[in-house]
Amino acid sequence: MFLRDSFFYMAGIGFMALAKAKNILKVYSTPKPYDISSSEKCIEYDLRVVEDWLTHLRRYSPDDNALAGKSVLELGPGSDLGIGIYLLSKGCSQYNACDVNDIMSSTPDNFYEELFKKLESMDRKTDISFLKKQLKEAKAGRPSRLNYQVRKDFDILSAFGKASIDLVFSQAAFEHFDDINATVSQLSSVCRPGTRLAVLVDLKTHSRWIRDKDPNNIYRYSKCVYNAFWFRGIPNRVRPFQYKEALERFGWKDISITPLTKIKSCSGMNKTFADEKNQMDCLSVMICARKP
Ligand SMILES: C[S@@+](CC[C@H](N)C(=O)[O-])C[C@H]1O[C@@H](n2cnc3c(N)ncnc32)[C@H](O)[C@@H]1O
């Protein structure tokens, strides 16, 4: 075990140095598990993400029509507006999204053409021309039901205003946020009473190869060593109990945290993560909560 832990400690340093170098050189890898040029896989991913959020929300608090007429906010949407378009097609009245990186400007038109074909094939009653119009307006920077905002300050309160949101979704993005407390505090202002939230957090190491071999690699390091490789967007190592504390602090209720993927055992964690409350066996969680 000692040899294995020492090996992964050293290997992780190499991966963190590589990630930092890529960030300095502005070499970004795709935010999705697939490259955006693989339209079919990316579309499947977007549709699956939405269906998973809705399944978790239904289990959390049954609601036959969770989306109808709702103003939705997605935080950290990533490479395309596929999720927003699918949510509109399913009846939400307004899709809002905020990101610090403008990754969407390079989404190929072909992705959207394939998405519209897919939505039409799934339900012939879907108003594709309405969806196309929303996309066109959004791309032109005009008012649209697809309201995608890129803000380096990630100030969602300035972006959307007070009490403007009914549902909050996020997929594998909260673990990148600079300041969870600041984000949750702003969420509490932009959300109307009764808002529900479904947020998937990927707690694993993000660098490819090592995340499969040693998913908890980033937790092997002291704060001091980890910070030496810091760049904006590096996984923040916030653990599930800290998300719960942040939501409670800003008045969210009925907080449920469901482990989605787990490992049997892990060793060699830094003492910061030694306490059981860190739930180091959890590799990803779904957080649901309600604003009273
Ligand atoms: C792994 S990607 C996930 C994207 C998308 N939700 C998906 O599932 O494909 C992480 C997202 O968080 C955003 N992000 C990274 N650093 C951030 C930060 N410091 N504050 C806010 N968002 C950030 C990225 O731009 C990206 O959209």
Side-chain angles (χ1 to χ4, degrees):
M1 197 57 86
F2 174 75
L3 272 181
R4 184 185 180 277
D5 286 338
S6 307
F7 169 76
F8 279 120
Y9 187 95
M10 294 313 294
I13 296 270
F15 278 95
M16 288 194 295
L18 191 67
K20 178 147 184 163
K22 279 166 83 176
N23 183 266
I24 291 167
L25 297 170
K26 302 202 184 310
V27 180
Y28 298 119
S29 42
T30 164
K32 271 194 171 54
Y34 319 102
D35 190 81
I36 190 70
S37 57
S38 310
S39 301
E40 201 179 322
K41 284 184 175 166
C42 290
I43 291 167
E44 259 174 43
Y45 175 89
D46 285 349
L47 270 48
R48 194 177 60 241
V49 164
V50 171
E51 294 305 333
D52 284 350
W53 288 336
L54 295 175
T55 302
H56 281 277
L57 266 190
R58 269 194 300 271
R59 278 186 204 143
Y60 173 73
S61 61
D63 180 347
D64 287 343
N65 214 341
L67 291 172
K70 300 273 168 59
S71 177
V72 172
L73 171 61
E74 183 183 3
L75 296 178
S79 61
D80 56 79
L81 283 167
I83 281 183
I85 293 170
Y86 187 44
L87 286 168
L88 282 186
S89 81
K90 285 178 78 77
C92 93
S93 65
Q94 177 74 40
Y95 169 81
N96 306 284
C98 189
D99 210 313
V100 294
N101 301 309
D102 185 6
I103 319 174
M104 300 217 186
S105 52
S106 52
T107 312
D109 290 344
N110 179 52
F111 169 83
Y112 293 111
E113 283 156 24
E114 293 299 319
L115 174 64
F116 291 131
K117 274 191 217 156
K118 174 79 181 175
L119 295 181
E120 202 164 24
S121 72
M122 286 166 60
D123 182 354
R124 298 193 73 79
K125 287 189 283 218
T126 304
D127 189 348
I128 300 293
S129 58
F130 163 78
L131 298 175
K132 284 185 174 171
K133 181 159 187 271
Q134 301 315 310
L135 177 63
K136 189 174 164 203
E137 298 300 297
K139 279 182 165 179
R142 292 191 288 265
S144 163
R145 301 281 180 98
L146 293 168
N147 177 20
Y148 170 60
Q149 302 267 334
V150 178
R151 293 187 66 112
K152 288 289 165 209
D153 59 6
F154 206 53
D155 185 342
I156 52 180
L157 185 52
S158 302
F160 307 110
K162 268 192 163 187
S164 54
I165 302 296
D166 307 299
L167 262 179
V168 179
F169 292 127
S170 186
Q171 183 79 8
F174 263 67
E175 69 272 14
H176 296 282
F177 296 171
D178 306 325
D179 182 345
I180 293 300
N181 282 299
T183 302
V184 176
S185 159
Q186 290 192 14
L187 265 186
S188 305
S189 297
V190 299
C191 292
R192 297 185 180 117
T195 295
R196 289 181 302 159
L197 159 158
V199 165
L200 183 142
V201 187
D202 180 358
L203 301 162
K204 295 191 296 293
T205 299
H206 278 39
S207 296
R208 303 206 172 160
W209 187 82
I210 201 158
R211 76 177 165 200
D212 298 327
K213 308 282 177 212
D214 187 32
N216 275 339
N217 185 271
I218 51 174
Y219 304 97
R220 291 185 179 277
Y221 307 98
S222 65
K223 195 173 176 191
C224 176
V225 171
Y226 196 66
N227 284 351
F229 297 96
W230 185 89
F231 57 87
R232 196 173 193 202
I234 190 175
N236 54 29
R237 306 200 298 176
V238 172
R239 297 302 301 173
F241 80 94
Q242 292 166 305
Y243 287 105
K244 185 164 188 280
E245 281 175 359
L247 286 161
E248 281 169 351
R249 189 170 298 128
F250 295 102
W252 292 74
K253 297 281 183 228
D254 305 330
I255 301 156
S256 109
I257 301 192
T258 310
L260 300 178
T261 49
K262 290 178 111 180
I263 40 169
K264 288 197 185 91
S265 65
C266 66
S267 61
M269 299 295 96
N270 182 264
K271 62 176 190 291
T272 321
F273 304 101
D275 195 291
E276 263 187 36
K277 69 181 178 185
N278 288 289
Q279 295 182 280
M280 296 311 297
D281 56 334
C282 290
L283 299 182
S284 62
V285 290
M286 176 65 75
I287 304 175
C288 292
R290 175 182 67 80
K291 187 187 155 169

Coordinates of all heavy atoms in Angstrom, one line a residue, residues 22 26-39 41-42 45-46 76-80 99 101 103-104 106-108 111 172 176 202 206-208 211:
K22 N -0.9 23.5 -19.1 CA -1.9 23.6 -20.2 C -2.8 24.8 -19.9 O -3.1 25.5 -20.9 CB -2.9 22.3 -20.2 CG -2.2 21.2 -20.9 CD -3.0 19.9 -20.6 CE -4.2 19.7 -21.4 NZ -4.8 18.4 -21.2
K26 N -3.0 28.0 -22.3 CA -4.4 28.1 -22.8 C -4.8 26.9 -23.7 O -5.4 27.1 -24.8 CB -4.7 29.4 -23.5 CG -4.5 30.6 -22.6 CD -5.2 31.8 -23.0 CE -4.9 33.1 -22.2 NZ -5.0 32.9 -20.7
V27 N -4.3 25.7 -23.4 CA -4.7 24.5 -24.1 C -5.8 23.9 -23.3 O -5.6 23.3 -22.2 CB -3.5 23.5 -24.1 CG1 -3.9 22.2 -24.9 CG2 -2.3 24.1 -24.7
Y28 N -7.1 24.0 -23.8 CA -8.2 23.5 -23.0 C -8.7 22.2 -23.6 O -8.9 22.1 -24.8 CB -9.4 24.6 -23.0 CG -9.0 25.8 -22.3 CD1 -9.0 27.1 -23.0 CD2 -8.5 25.8 -21.0 CE1 -8.6 28.2 -22.4 CE2 -8.1 27.0 -20.4 CZ -8.2 28.2 -21.1 OH -7.8 29.4 -20.5
S29 N -9.0 21.3 -22.7 CA -9.7 20.1 -23.3 C -11.2 20.3 -23.2 O -11.7 21.1 -22.4 CB -9.2 18.8 -22.5 OG -9.1 19.1 -21.1
T30 N -11.9 19.5 -23.9 CA -13.4 19.6 -24.0 C -14.0 19.4 -22.6 O -13.6 18.5 -21.9 CB -14.0 18.6 -25.0 OG1 -15.3 18.5 -24.8 CG2 -13.4 17.2 -24.9
P31 N -15.0 20.2 -22.2 CA -15.6 20.0 -20.9 C -16.4 18.8 -20.8 O -16.6 18.2 -19.7 CB -16.5 21.3 -20.7 CG -16.7 21.8 -22.1 CD -15.5 21.4 -22.9
K32 N -16.9 18.3 -22.0 CA -17.7 17.1 -22.0 C -16.8 15.8 -22.0 O -15.7 16.0 -22.4 CB -18.6 17.0 -23.2 CG -19.9 17.7 -23.1 CD -20.8 17.3 -24.3 CE -22.2 17.8 -24.2 NZ -22.4 19.2 -23.9
P33 N -17.4 14.7 -21.7 CA -16.5 13.5 -21.9 C -16.2 13.2 -23.4 O -15.4 12.4 -23.7 CB -17.4 12.3 -21.3 CG -18.5 13.0 -20.5 CD -18.7 14.4 -21.1
Y34 N -16.9 13.9 -24.3 CA -16.7 13.7 -25.7 C -16.4 15.0 -26.4 O -16.9 16.1 -25.9 CB -18.0 13.1 -26.4 CG -18.6 12.1 -25.6 CD1 -19.8 12.3 -24.9 CD2 -18.1 10.8 -25.6 CE1 -20.4 11.4 -24.1 CE2 -18.7 9.8 -24.8 CZ -19.8 10.1 -24.1 OH -20.4 9.1 -23.3
D35 N -15.7 15.0 -27.5 CA -15.4 16.2 -28.2 C -16.7 16.7 -28.9 O -17.5 15.8 -29.4 CB -14.3 15.9 -29.3 CG -13.9 17.2 -29.9 OD1 -13.0 17.9 -29.2 OD2 -14.3 17.6 -31.0
I36 N -16.9 18.0 -29.0 CA -18.1 18.5 -29.6 C -18.3 18.1 -31.0 O -19.5 18.1 -31.5 CB -18.2 20.1 -29.4 CG1 -19.6 20.6 -29.7 CG2 -17.1 20.8 -30.1 CD1 -20.7 20.3 -28.8
S37 N -17.2 17.7 -31.7 CA -17.4 17.3 -33.1 C -18.1 15.9 -33.2 O -18.6 15.5 -34.2 CB -16.0 17.2 -33.8 OG -15.2 16.3 -33.0
S38 N -18.1 15.2 -32.1 CA -18.9 13.9 -32.0 C -20.3 14.3 -31.7 O -20.8 14.0 -30.5 CB -18.4 12.9 -31.0 OG -17.0 12.8 -31.1
S39 N -21.0 14.9 -32.6 CA -22.4 15.5 -32.3 C -23.3 14.5 -31.6 O -24.0 14.8 -30.7 CB -23.1 16.0 -33.6 OG -22.3 16.9 -34.2
K41 N -22.8 11.8 -29.9 CA -22.6 11.4 -28.5 C -22.9 12.6 -27.6 O -23.3 12.5 -26.5 CB -21.1 11.1 -28.3 CG -20.8 9.7 -28.8 CD -19.4 9.3 -28.6 CE -19.1 7.9 -29.0 NZ -17.7 7.6 -29.0
C42 N -22.5 13.8 -28.0 CA -22.8 15.0 -27.2 C -24.3 15.3 -27.0 O -24.7 15.7 -26.0 CB -22.1 16.3 -27.9 SG -20.3 16.2 -27.8
Y45 N -25.5 12.9 -24.6 CA -25.1 13.3 -23.2 C -26.0 14.4 -22.7 O -26.5 14.3 -21.6 CB -23.6 13.8 -23.4 CG -23.1 14.4 -22.1 CD1 -22.4 13.6 -21.1 CD2 -23.2 15.8 -21.8 CE1 -21.9 14.2 -20.0 CE2 -22.7 16.3 -20.6 CZ -22.0 15.5 -19.7 OH -21.5 16.0 -18.5
D46 N -26.3 15.4 -23.5 CA -27.2 16.5 -23.1 C -28.6 16.0 -22.6 O -29.1 16.4 -21.6 CB -27.3 17.6 -24.2 CG -26.1 18.4 -24.3 OD1 -25.2 18.3 -23.5 OD2 -26.0 19.2 -25.3
G76 N -22.5 26.7 -15.2 CA -21.4 26.0 -15.8 C -21.9 25.1 -16.9 O -21.6 23.9 -16.9
P77 N -22.6 25.6 -18.0 CA -23.2 24.7 -19.0 C -22.2 24.0 -19.9 O -22.5 23.1 -20.6 CB -24.1 25.6 -19.7 CG -23.5 27.0 -19.6 CD -22.9 27.0 -18.2
G78 N -21.0 24.6 -20.1 CA -20.0 23.9 -20.9 C -20.1 24.3 -22.4 O -20.2 25.4 -22.8
S79 N -20.0 23.2 -23.2 CA -19.7 23.4 -24.6 C -20.8 23.8 -25.6 O -20.5 24.2 -26.7 CB -19.0 22.1 -25.2 OG -20.0 21.1 -25.1
D80 N -22.1 23.7 -25.2 CA -23.1 24.0 -26.1 C -24.5 24.3 -25.4 O -24.6 24.1 -24.2 CB -23.3 22.7 -27.1 CG -23.6 21.5 -26.2 OD1 -24.8 21.3 -25.8 OD2 -22.7 20.7 -26.0
D99 N -21.6 31.1 -17.2 CA -20.3 30.5 -17.2 C -19.2 31.5 -17.2 O -19.4 32.7 -17.6 CB -20.1 29.6 -18.5 CG -19.2 28.4 -18.3 OD1 -18.2 28.5 -17.7 OD2 -19.6 27.3 -18.7
N101 N -16.3 30.9 -18.8 CA -15.6 30.6 -20.0 C -16.6 30.6 -21.2 O -17.6 30.0 -21.1 CB -14.9 29.3 -20.0 CG -13.9 29.2 -18.9 OD1 -13.0 30.1 -18.7 ND2 -14.0 28.1 -18.1
I103 N -17.2 29.0 -24.0 CA -16.8 27.8 -24.7 C -17.8 27.6 -25.9 O -17.5 27.0 -26.9 CB -16.9 26.5 -23.8 CG1 -16.3 26.8 -22.5 CG2 -16.1 25.4 -24.5 CD1 -16.4 25.7 -21.5
M104 N -19.0 28.2 -25.8 CA -20.0 28.0 -26.8 C -19.8 28.6 -28.1 O -20.4 28.2 -29.1 CB -21.4 28.4 -26.2 CG -21.7 27.7 -25.0 SD -23.4 27.4 -24.9 CE -23.5 26.7 -23.2
S106 N -17.6 28.4 -30.1 CA -17.0 27.6 -31.1 C -17.8 26.3 -31.4 O -17.4 25.4 -32.1 CB -15.6 27.2 -30.7 OG -15.6 26.7 -29.4
T107 N -19.0 26.3 -30.9 CA -19.9 25.1 -31.2 C -20.2 25.0 -32.7 O -20.8 26.0 -33.2 CB -21.2 25.1 -30.4 OG1 -20.8 25.4 -29.0 CG2 -21.9 23.8 -30.5
P108 N -20.0 24.0 -33.4 CA -20.3 23.9 -34.8 C -21.8 23.9 -35.1 O -22.5 23.3 -34.3 CB -19.6 22.6 -35.3 CG -19.4 21.8 -34.1 CD -19.3 22.7 -32.9
F111 N -23.7 20.7 -35.0 CA -24.2 20.1 -33.7 C -25.7 20.4 -33.5 O -26.5 19.5 -33.2 CB -23.4 20.7 -32.5 CG -24.0 20.3 -31.2 CD1 -23.8 19.1 -30.6 CD2 -24.9 21.2 -30.6 CE1 -24.4 18.8 -29.4 CE2 -25.5 20.9 -29.3 CZ -25.2 19.7 -28.7
A172 N -21.5 18.7 -13.1 CA -20.0 18.6 -13.1 C -19.4 20.0 -13.2 O -18.4 20.1 -14.0 CB -19.5 17.7 -14.2
H176 N -15.7 23.2 -9.8 CA -14.8 24.2 -10.4 C -15.0 25.6 -9.8 O -14.1 26.5 -10.1 CB -14.9 24.3 -11.9 CG -14.6 22.9 -12.6 ND1 -13.4 22.5 -12.8 CD2 -15.5 22.0 -13.0 CE1 -13.4 21.3 -13.4 NE2 -14.7 21.0 -13.6
D202 N -19.0 16.3 -9.5 CA -18.0 15.3 -9.7 C -16.8 15.6 -8.8 O -16.1 16.5 -9.0 CB -17.6 15.4 -11.2 CG -16.5 14.4 -11.6 OD1 -16.1 13.6 -10.7 OD2 -16.1 14.4 -12.8
H206 N -9.7 15.2 -12.0 CA -10.2 15.4 -13.4 C -9.2 15.0 -14.5 O -9.7 14.7 -15.6 CB -10.6 16.8 -13.6 CG -12.0 17.2 -13.0 ND1 -12.4 16.6 -11.8 CD2 -13.0 17.9 -13.5 CE1 -13.7 17.0 -11.6 NE2 -14.0 17.8 -12.6
S207 N -7.9 14.9 -14.2 CA -7.0 14.6 -15.3 C -7.2 13.2 -15.8 O -7.4 12.2 -15.0 CB -5.5 14.7 -14.8 OG -5.2 16.0 -14.3
R208 N -7.2 13.1 -17.1 CA -7.5 11.8 -17.7 C -6.4 10.8 -17.3 O -5.4 11.2 -16.9 CB -7.6 11.9 -19.2 CG -8.7 12.9 -19.5 CD -9.4 12.9 -20.8 NE -10.4 14.0 -20.6 CZ -11.1 14.6 -21.5 NH1 -10.9 14.3 -22.7 NH2 -12.0 15.5 -21.2
R211 N -7.6 9.8 -13.3 CA -8.9 9.8 -12.6 C -9.5 8.4 -12.6 O -10.3 8.1 -11.7 CB -9.8 10.8 -13.2 CG -10.4 10.4 -14.5 CD -11.4 11.4 -15.0 NE -11.6 11.2 -16.4 CZ -12.1 12.1 -17.2 NH1 -12.4 13.3 -16.8 NH2 -12.4 11.8 -18.5

